[in-house]
Amino acid sequence: QVQLVESGGGSVQAGGSLRLSCAASGFTYSTACMAWFRQAAGSRREWVSTVSRTGIPNYIPSVRGRFTISKDNAKNTLTLQMNSLKNEDTATYYCAAGLPRPGGGGCYPYGYFGQGTRVTVSS
């Protein structure tokens, strides 16, 4: 079955950096669409960054230029390098997978999530 296991969260001061990792198994990772979501206390879960089947990244405006997503198909891992962290980045971060549609038609919606890893940014 699909398994996604995040790691790398923690507490950091504003301006610092963290690197999140996600170990994926149970599906053909190289053809999947992958993403990072986050959920702050009292807020809805939001997507932060995605990487397509062909490796094209995308980011929400508030993290563009500070976060970098990368997908390693050889190691079945997804990472999120987070630099210049701000208080508002505080949240639980989730790795997500969208399995490929047959015939090269993109991916299904993100239907698989990990258990999350907590990121706390303080002033």
Side-chain angles (χ1 to χ4, degrees):
Q1 70 277 20
V2 174
Q3 286 195 318
L4 302 169
V5 180
E6 303 95 336
S7 61
S11 297
V12 65
Q13 289 193 326
S17 298
L18 282 173
R19 184 177 180 87
L20 306 184
S21 295
C22 171
S25 62
F27 61 102
T28 305
Y29 182 77
S30 61
T31 60
C33 298
M34 300 297 296
W36 287 98
F37 286 72
R38 68 185 179 187
Q39 186 169 19
S43 300
R44 298 177 65 178
R45 186 161 56 188
E46 64 171 354
W47 77 267
V48 175
S49 178
T50 62
V51 57
S52 72
R53 295 174 63 177
T54 55
I56 298 173
N58 199 3
Y59 305 92
I60 55 172
S62 62
V63 308
R64 190 172 292 126
R66 299 188 297 120
F67 290 11
T68 302
I69 191 171
S70 59
K71 184 173 182 275
D72 188 333
N73 290 333
K75 297 181 179 179
N76 283 17
T77 58
L78 183 74
T79 60
L80 185 69
Q81 178 66 43
M82 306 187 296
N83 298 328
S84 302
L85 283 161
K86 304 177 180 180
N87 290 353
E88 52 264 40
D89 295 319
T90 294
T92 298
Y93 285 71
Y94 299 89
C95 174
L99 301 187
R101 296 179 185 272
C107 294
Y108 291 105
Y110 295 101
Y112 300 94
F113 290 83
Q115 83 290 347
T117 186
R118 180 73 180 168
V119 171
T120 303
V121 184
S122 59
S123 299

